């Protein structure tokens, strides 16, 4: 699981790959097996904006200290609601030894020379940067101490720090960081690998409940999101693409459109074949966005829809049912002899599971402001999760050099993986290039839902055997996914470590593909968010078939703790699935929820599931009630997670974990994108419902803080909640949910 | 055509077509970008403003229907006593994740507390269910509303 999870991390496509991998993520094994970053990272490169600032002294790319002791700390990764603009400065502040009240957080400009990989994805911000940012802060502290030692002409070893001041105890004197900053900025930077770090017991900031640094601006409605960007002389645009993915422009009533109020230009844009890149479309540019969007109502386009106009959800399901009867096209993992074990099993259980395509539906629609200047220089303001990918796609699409493009990262109104893609960015650039003026492109909600980079649907055909004692002796999954010639499409894959692989002696994981031409990609906990539903639901079926309590059955399946595998991934050495850590979270969540000790009324049930993804161990219990007409309501979710030693900021951490669980429930209760004649059917939130206040459960979040490296938590809490809900519905009704989203008609008893 | 509306205590005149939604007048004519575009159909509540103190989805309210009625947006809600309390409660509970929906959430919460100073969980459900939070910060929104109302904030709903 470990390598697969990490391999799901966003790939920087195009020419930026060398930068992100070679120079910045040369990882090596650290004590305890965590990620340890290569400290040759160019920490001391001054960021372009930092270097130009006046007043505050720049100690390194992350630290500026002003004479008034205000410390500006840089968050290098995009802020998408995961709280990184708060978390990263907290880590630096801890080692720099300053009071949080004197810290001002700032988002970094896009500047890989100074900051290396800058992205929000894969729950990787903390594991990839925790150690490095501690060292950056400690290096700053060291430089301040050296500066004071020079000033007082005493050995640095006689000096120490208290928050914001260097202290010389022997002479009972102090000097503030603000007073020292100018001098410290001229001190040669220390060797990062040798700079002393704090004893973790002495952390004063890490582990504190600290509110989001931008929140005071958000409650006042300040314009800090991508959609709020305003540039002098800016026009507004919409961009309409063929409803069938990759369809080509033939003709349109553009003369009519050009006469509509406020419309400045209407023209076709020629695109390519990359479904996540610039596709054929029609741009309408107007004085105001509303005018451009209103003009869309009158737009009539003739498209050459191409071969995928035959795609339909029904057709996919029929194909899957046929393929599911055949042997898998490709083996993912094969242990022992499944057929022989099934033949001699005391009990054989067979079931098929299905989940739909879903959209990210970030609340801030896709948007970008771009200015393609006449001199060939391009400036972009965009809410992106992956600026390197954006830069790569822009330079490739328009034949530019990186030095021609300036990319400003704005706050992001929800990422969930959608803004790892840059389709909406190249569209804005293409429109600005055509009109020669700055333009703000904003998608409407229909375009957003119908041109997502979807979480792909999938089908699982399971067969498992239990022996007379109810032990799983054989396990088979034929995963029918989307792709070409048994090569899964983007985010449609399954790895060889999918649990219960290596925990059942005879196991066979295989896959086959249904050809498709629909853009797919990562959505919060990619693959895991779907695989967890299928596997942890089927495991629940096995528990019931074995006549065992679902918690006990899972603990038996997990077995006695054994040393985890050490795996080589493209992100360095990683520790694989640690069944001991998972046992602990399963036991803890059973305990906290009072599993098996609570009498529940008729129609109410509890389910459990666990899942390992993104290096995080999560077990969750859901209590759900099902009304006689089949309506599902989730009362409460209990979550226990183990993401290592530190919860850097419990304020954001707990919020995000609770949010991930409710997000998973939201998808399970009603979300699906269906296709007919090659196009997505759903147009807005009445057809693609997101969970609302009245449906949102209570969530009890608890962390087991273990002596393991600190890892990320934006994603791993999501996958287990979906099967825990399905299993709770089974406990409440005796009806097994094998298809998402949950259909109340299937659960109706009255 | 010319419309004069009363926004945050100021009289503002704009030249727009009469069917232009108030949201786009606020955002693109008056440079008040706190009210957000989410759906354009009154389904998500990100665009919620007050008209005459009532929560209204500005993305489906044409400028021609606003007339003289006072419009209050997130930019000015902190000038009211309830608005200030709600903003403070939001910060104390650290409600935000991405924060995009929160202007609308705060406007709905203020309208609720104006009418129902001590809301029950059911009142909160009813008043807040028109506002989607894609990050699912609902437990903290509930807690912040209770805190602003001076009620105990621990989530003690019966399960």
């Amino acid at each position: 699981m470990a390598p697969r999870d990490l391999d799901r991390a966003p790939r920087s496509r195009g020419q930026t790959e060398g930068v992100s991998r070679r120079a910045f993520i040369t990882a090596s094994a650290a004590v305890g097996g965590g990620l340890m970053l290569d400290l040759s990272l160019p920490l001391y490169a001054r960021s372009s904006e930092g270097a130009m600032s006046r007043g505050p002294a720049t100690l390194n790319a992350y630290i500026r200290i002003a004479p008034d002791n205000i410390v500006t700390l840089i968050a290098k990764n995009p802020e998408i609601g995961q709280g990184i603009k708060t978390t990263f400065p907290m880590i630096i502040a801890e080692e720099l030894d300053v009071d949080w009240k004197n810290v001002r957080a700032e988002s970094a400009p896009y500047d890989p020379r100074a900051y290396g990989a800058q992205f929000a994805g894969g729950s990787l911000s903390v594991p990839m940067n925790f150690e490095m940012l501690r060292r950056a802060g400690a290096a700053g502290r060291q430089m301040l101490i050296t500066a004071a030692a020079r000033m007082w002409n005493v050995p640095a070893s006689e000096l120490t720090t208290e928050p914001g001041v260097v202290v010389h105890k022997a002479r009972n004197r102090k000097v503030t960081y603000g007073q020292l900053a100018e001098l410290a900025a001229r001190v040669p930077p220390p060797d990062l690998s040798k700079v002393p770090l704090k004893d973790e017991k002495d952390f004063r900031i890490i582990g504190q409940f600290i509110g989001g640094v931008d929140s005071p601006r958000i409650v006042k409605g300040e314009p800090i999101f991508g959609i709020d960007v305003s540039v002098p002389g800016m026009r507004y645009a919409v961009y309409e693409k063929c409803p069938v993915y990759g369809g080509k422009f033939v003709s349109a009533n553009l003369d009519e459109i050009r006469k509509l109020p406020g419309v400045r230009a209407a023209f076709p844009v020629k695109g390519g074949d990359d479904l996540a890149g610039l596709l054929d479309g029609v741009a309408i540019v107007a004085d105001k966005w509303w005018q451009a969007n209103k003009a869309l109502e009158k737009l009539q386009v003739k498209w050459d829809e191409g071969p995928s106009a035959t795609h339909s959800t029904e057709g996919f399901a029929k194909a899957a049912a046929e393929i599911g009867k055949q042997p898998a096209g490709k083996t993912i993992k094969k242990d022992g002899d499944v057929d022989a074990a099934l033949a001699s099993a005391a009990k054989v259980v067979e079931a098929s599971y299905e989940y739909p395509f879903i959209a990210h539906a970030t609340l801030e629609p896709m948007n970008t402001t771009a200015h393609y200047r006449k001199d060939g220089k391009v400036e972009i303001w965009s809410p992106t999760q992956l600026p390197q990918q954006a830069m790569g796609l822009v330079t490739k699409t328009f034949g530019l050099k990186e030095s021609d493009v300036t990319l400003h990262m704005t706050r992001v109104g929800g990422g969930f993986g959608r803004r790892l893609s840059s389709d909406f960015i190249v569209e804005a650039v293409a429109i600005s290039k055509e009109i020669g003026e700055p333009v703000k492109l904003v998608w409407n909600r229909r375009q957003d839902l119908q041109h997502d980079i979807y979480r792909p649907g999938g089908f699982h055909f399971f067969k498992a055997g239990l022996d007379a004692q109810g032990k799983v002796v054989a396990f088979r999954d034929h995963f029918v996914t989307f792709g070409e010639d048994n090569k899964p499409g983007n985010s449609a894959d399954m790895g060889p470590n999918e649990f219960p692989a290596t925990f059942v002696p005879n196991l066979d994981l295989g896959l086959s593909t249904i050809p498709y031409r629909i853009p797919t990609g990562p959505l919060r906990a990619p693959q895991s968010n779907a695989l967890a539903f299928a596997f942890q639901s089927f495991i629940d079926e096995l528990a019931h078939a074995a006549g065992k309590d679902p918690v006990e059955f899972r603990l038996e399946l997990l077995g006695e703790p054994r040393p985890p595998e050490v795996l080589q991934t493209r992100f360095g050495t990683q520790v694989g699935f640690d069944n001991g850590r998972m046992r602990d979270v399963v036991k803890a969540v059973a305990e906290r929820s009072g599993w098996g000790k609570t009498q529940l009324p008729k129609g109410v049930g509890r389910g459990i599931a666990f899942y390992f993804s993104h290096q995080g161990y999560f077990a969750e219990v859901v209590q759900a009630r099902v009304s006689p007409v089949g309506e599902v309501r989730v009362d409460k979710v209990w979550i226990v997670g183990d993401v290592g030693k530190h919860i850097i900021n419990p304020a954001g951490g707990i919020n995000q974990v609770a949010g991930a669980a409710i997000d998973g429930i939201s998808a399970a209760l009603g979300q699906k994108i269906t296709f007919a004649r090659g196009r997505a059917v759903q147009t807005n939130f009445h057809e693609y419902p997101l969970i609302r206040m009245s449906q949102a459960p209570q969530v009890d979040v608890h962390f087991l803080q273990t002596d393991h490296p600190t890892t990320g938590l934006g994603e791993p809490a999501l996958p287990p909640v979906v099967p825990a809900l399905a299993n709770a519905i089974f406990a409440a009704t005796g009806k097994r949910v094998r298809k998402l989203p949950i259909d109340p008609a299937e659960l109706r008893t009255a | 055509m010319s419309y004069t509306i009363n926004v945050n205590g100021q009289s503002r005149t704009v030249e727009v077509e009469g069917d232009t939604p108030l949201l786009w007048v606020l955002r693109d004519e008056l440079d008040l970008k706190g009210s957000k575009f989410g759906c354009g159909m009154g389904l998500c509540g990100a665009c919620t403003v007050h008209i005459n103190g009532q929560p209204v989805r500005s993305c489906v309210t044409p400028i021609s229907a606003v007339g003289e009625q006072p419009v209050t947006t997130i930019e000015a809600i902190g000038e009211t006593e309830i608005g200030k309390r709600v903003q403070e409660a939001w910060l104390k509970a650290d409600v935000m994740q991405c924060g995009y929906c929160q202007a609308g959430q705060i406007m709905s919460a203020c309208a609720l507390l104006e009418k129902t100073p001590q809301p029950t969980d059911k009142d909160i459900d009813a008043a807040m269910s028109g506002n989607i939070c894609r990050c699912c910060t609902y437990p903290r929104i509930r807690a912040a509303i209770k805190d602003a109302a001076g009620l105990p904030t621990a989530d003690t709903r019966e399960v």
Side-chain angles (χ1 to χ4, degrees):
Chain A
M1 293 185 203
R4 188 202 63 209
D5 287 332
L6 286 167
D7 281 346
R8 292 170 196 172
R11 272 154 225 262
S12 39
R13 284 169 251 176
Q15 94 296 357
T16 55
E17 193 159 74
V19 177
S20 63
R21 287 216 223 166
R22 191 178 58 246
F24 304 110
I25 326 179
T26 317
S28 56
V31 180
L35 276 176
M36 171 125 159
L37 286 170
D38 181 355
L39 297 171
S40 65
L41 166 155
L43 174 64
Y44 295 103
R46 266 62 164 169
S47 92
S48 49
E49 285 183 14
M52 293 192 308
S53 67
R54 276 155 197 255
T58 303
L59 268 56
N60 59 40
Y62 297 92
I63 304 171
R64 296 201 305 268
I65 303 180
D68 62 358
N69 296 311
I70 293 299
V71 178
T72 302
L73 301 178
I74 309 298
K76 67 178 209 146
N77 284 357
E79 174 60 66
I80 64 170
Q82 86 283 42
I84 218 66
K85 193 175 171 183
T86 311
T87 304
F88 275 3
M90 284 172 70
I91 299 168
I92 304 165
E94 182 72 67
E95 294 285 352
L96 182 60
D97 199 12
V98 290
D99 271 331
W100 183 252
K101 67 173 164 43
N102 291 330
V103 171
R104 304 291 175 268
E106 206 173 89
S107 287
Y110 171 64
D111 187 352
R113 214 172 27 83
Y115 297 107
Q118 294 177 276
F119 68 92
S123 295
L124 282 164
S125 284
V126 164
M128 282 176 62
N129 295 288
F130 186 49
E131 166 95 14
M132 186 275 293
L133 291 175
R134 285 185 69 188
R135 289 182 184 277
R141 176 176 174 271
Q142 200 65 39
M143 291 160 81
L144 289 155
I145 287 176
T146 305
R150 286 180 184 177
M151 189 176 77
W152 287 326
N153 200 19
V154 296
S157 57
E158 288 184 15
L159 305 179
T160 181
T161 61
E162 288 168 8
V165 290
V166 176
V167 182
H168 187 207
K169 282 204 176 111
R171 295 276 302 274
N172 195 24
R173 55 185 171 177
K174 293 182 179 181
V175 57
T176 69
Y177 282 8
Q179 289 168 304
L180 285 170
E182 229 6 274
L183 198 54
R186 294 197 294 270
V187 166
D191 179 349
L192 271 190
S193 63
K194 296 202 177 104
V195 68
L197 295 179
K198 245 185 186 175
D199 188 326
E200 297 183 16
K201 291 197 304 294
D202 300 330
F203 281 171
R204 295 179 308 110
I205 295 172
I206 289 171
Q208 298 302 306
F209 189 105
I210 290 180
V213 292
D214 278 340
S215 297
R217 304 184 67 190
I218 292 169
V219 299
K220 288 188 273 188
E222 290 188 26
I224 60 176
F225 294 92
I227 201 170
D228 302 333
V229 167
S230 194
V231 176
M234 173 180 93
R235 308 281 182 199
Y236 296 82
V238 292
Y239 190 63
E240 188 72 11
K241 289 178 278 197
C242 179
V244 178
Y245 306 100
K248 299 295 178 191
F249 175 82
V250 177
S251 62
N253 58 339
L254 296 176
D255 288 333
E256 186 188 339
I257 297 300
R258 290 185 192 111
K259 291 182 196 127
L260 295 171
V263 173
R264 293 272 167 172
F267 51 90
V269 172
K270 183 88 202 111
D273 289 321
D274 173 5
L275 294 188
L278 181 65
L279 291 174
D280 266 29
V282 173
I284 302 176
V285 180
D287 291 333
K288 294 289 146 62
W289 187 81
W290 170 250
Q291 296 168 325
N293 190 56
K294 201 179 161 200
L296 272 181
E297 290 168 18
K298 295 270 192 318
L299 179 68
Q300 288 169 348
V301 189
K302 185 161 181 268
W303 303 102
D304 171 5
E305 296 182 350
S308 54
T310 56
H311 282 351
S312 74
T313 296
E314 278 177 19
F316 289 150
K318 273 190 199 143
E322 272 314 304
I323 296 168
K325 290 177 196 158
Q326 318 294 324
K330 187 178 97 181
T331 296
I332 299 169
K333 186 174 182 70
K334 209 164 209 168
D335 289 332
D337 186 338
V338 170
D339 287 321
L342 284 172
S344 62
K347 206 175 222 179
V348 171
V349 183
E350 207 168 350
S352 60
Y353 282 78
E354 177 183 347
Y355 43 82
F357 285 71
I358 59 174
H360 299 77
T362 64
L363 206 57
E364 177 188 21
M366 297 306 107
N367 68 86
T368 290
T369 302
H371 191 185
Y372 199 122
R373 295 197 170 80
K374 305 247 178 321
D375 64 3
K377 301 285 183 194
V378 179
E379 196 165 3
I380 298 166
W381 298 259
S382 185
T384 172
Q385 288 181 251
L386 187 51
Q388 270 155 323
Q389 201 269 342
M391 188 61 101
L393 188 63
V394 168
T395 50
K396 190 174 142 211
T397 305
F398 300 97
L400 297 164
K401 295 195 291 287
E402 285 218 9
S403 56
D404 296 327
V405 183
T406 307
L407 175 58
H408 305 277
M409 304 186 292
T410 69
R411 188 180 177 90
V412 181
F416 309 104
R418 176 63 181 88
R419 293 185 235 252
L420 296 168
S421 298
S422 307
D423 43 342
F424 51 96
I425 300 177
V426 283
E427 290 168 6
V429 174
I431 297 167
S432 177
K433 184 178 183 185
E434 174 73 22
I435 63 171
E437 293 177 302
V439 70
K440 175 152 76 180
L441 168 71
V442 179
W443 290 18
N444 64 34
R445 183 57 60 187
R446 171 183 58 77
Q447 295 169 328
D448 183 73
L449 288 176
Q450 297 190 332
H451 290 278
D452 194 55
I453 310 284
Y454 302 100
R455 189 285 301 274
F459 306 83
H460 293 263
F461 298 87
F462 289 113
K463 199 167 185 180
L466 301 168
D467 69 12
Q469 286 73 47
K471 196 166 171 303
V472 188
V473 290
F475 191 101
R476 171 173 285 147
D477 176 32
H478 179 185
F479 176 29
V480 179
T481 183
F482 290 88
E484 202 66 56
D485 298 331
N486 300 319
K487 205 170 159 261
N490 194 333
S491 300
D493 204 356
M494 178 165 79
N497 296 313
E498 192 63 39
F499 188 87
T502 77
F503 290 82
V504 173
N506 304 291
L507 175 130
D508 177 6
L509 304 179
L511 68 75
S512 305
T513 51
I514 302 170
Y516 76 129
R517 198 164 149 70
I518 292 169
T520 58
L523 182 147
R524 195 177 200 172
Q527 284 113 303
S528 303
N529 60 40
L531 296 176
F533 160 67
F535 278 80
Q536 287 281 319
S537 295
F538 186 60
I539 286 170
D540 211 64
E541 293 202 50
L542 298 181
H544 288 280
K548 292 184 183 176
D549 171 79
V551 169
E552 283 309 313
F553 183 80
R554 280 175 174 76
L555 290 173
E556 279 175 28
L557 189 55
L558 281 164
E560 288 309 307
R562 64 189 203 197
E565 272 183 284
V566 175
L567 308 149
Q568 298 305 321
T569 78
R570 56 188 284 269
F571 286 94
T573 305
Q574 281 287 311
V575 175
F577 178 63
D578 182 335
N579 67 329
R581 291 176 76 181
M582 191 57 90
R583 286 177 62 90
D584 289 345
V585 293
V586 169
K587 284 190 266 187
V589 82
E591 172 81 26
R592 285 186 75 83
S593 64
W595 181 267
K597 292 177 185 150
T598 315
Q599 281 295 324
L600 298 170
K602 193 171 177 301
V604 181
R606 285 188 178 181
I608 184 166
F610 67 78
Y611 205 75
F612 172 65
S613 75
H614 302 82
Q615 296 296 298
Y617 295 79
F618 279 82
E620 305 183 12
V621 169
V622 165
Q623 178 174 313
R625 63 185 62 227
V626 182
S627 77
V629 293
E631 282 168 350
V632 175
R633 198 197 145 76
V634 179
D635 292 331
K636 187 161 180 172
V637 183
W638 290 264
I639 302 175
V640 175
D642 172 3
V643 289
K645 200 165 193 174
H646 299 290
I647 303 301
I648 296 169
N649 184 0
I654 292 168
N655 201 359
Q656 230 178 138
V657 165
I662 301 174
D663 187 4
I665 292 167
S666 178
L669 286 181
Q671 291 167 19
K672 64 175 172 190
I673 293 290
T674 49
F675 300 96
R677 293 188 300 123
R679 14 175 70 85
V681 171
Q682 289 72 21
T683 60
N684 211 317
F685 295 129
H686 60 302
E687 293 161 334
Y688 192 80
L690 304 189
I691 198 165
R692 292 170 184 273
M693 176 65 91
S694 55
Q695 305 162 287
Q698 293 186 54
V699 186
D700 176 77
V701 178
H702 182 72
F703 296 107
L704 297 185
Q705 290 181 250
T706 58
D707 197 19
H708 290 96
T710 300
T711 53
L713 42 63
E715 295 169 275
L718 191 151
V721 81
V722 181
L725 169 58
N727 298 341
I729 289 170
F730 180 79
T733 63
K735 294 182 180 177
R736 182 59 68 182
V737 175
R738 295 195 185 91
K739 182 179 175 184
L740 292 179
I742 295 159
D743 181 0
E746 298 282 325
L747 303 175
R748 176 186 281 272
T749 51
Chain B
M1 149 155 215
S2 181
Y3 293 89
T4 299
I5 56 171
N6 177 349
V7 180
N8 298 333
Q10 289 181 0
S11 180
R12 308 287 297 263
T13 301
V14 293
E15 287 287 334
V16 294
E17 295 103 82
D19 62 352
T20 307
L22 176 60
L23 173 66
W24 295 103
V25 172
L26 295 171
R27 288 185 60 83
D28 289 348
E29 305 288 335
L30 303 179
D31 199 27
L32 293 169
K33 294 198 166 66
S35 307
K36 292 293 188 265
F37 170 55
C39 68
M41 289 176 72
L43 299 168
C44 78
C47 65
T48 305
V49 300
H50 293 179
I51 297 183
N52 268 334
Q54 296 297 312
V56 168
R57 313 300 178 208
S58 66
C59 75
V60 288
T61 305
I63 182 76
S64 58
V66 177
E68 300 282 299
Q69 306 172 89
V71 176
T72 307
T73 71
I74 186 71
E75 285 88 350
I77 198 69
E79 291 162 23
T80 69
E81 191 267 331
I82 286 176
K84 191 160 176 295
R85 260 197 286 142
V86 168
Q87 287 174 333
E88 281 166 5
W90 241 249
L91 294 177
K92 193 171 139 203
D94 194 42
V95 170
M96 267 67 76
Q97 284 185 41
C98 89
Y100 191 77
C101 73
Q102 299 294 347
Q105 303 280 0
I106 287 172
M107 295 307 285
S108 290
C110 290
L112 164 66
L113 292 179
E114 183 69 51
K115 208 172 72 185
T116 313
Q118 305 270 291
T120 62
D121 281 311
K122 281 206 159 54
D123 293 331
I124 294 173
D125 285 346
M128 301 304 295
S129 284
N131 290 80
I132 289 172
C133 176
R134 175 66 183 83
C135 305
C136 302
T137 63
Y138 299 112
R140 293 224 178 145
I141 293 172
R142 185 183 298 278
I145 291 172
K146 290 182 179 179
D147 189 35
L151 298 165
T153 58
D155 193 344
T156 54
R157 280 175 290 162
E158 293 293 315
V159 297

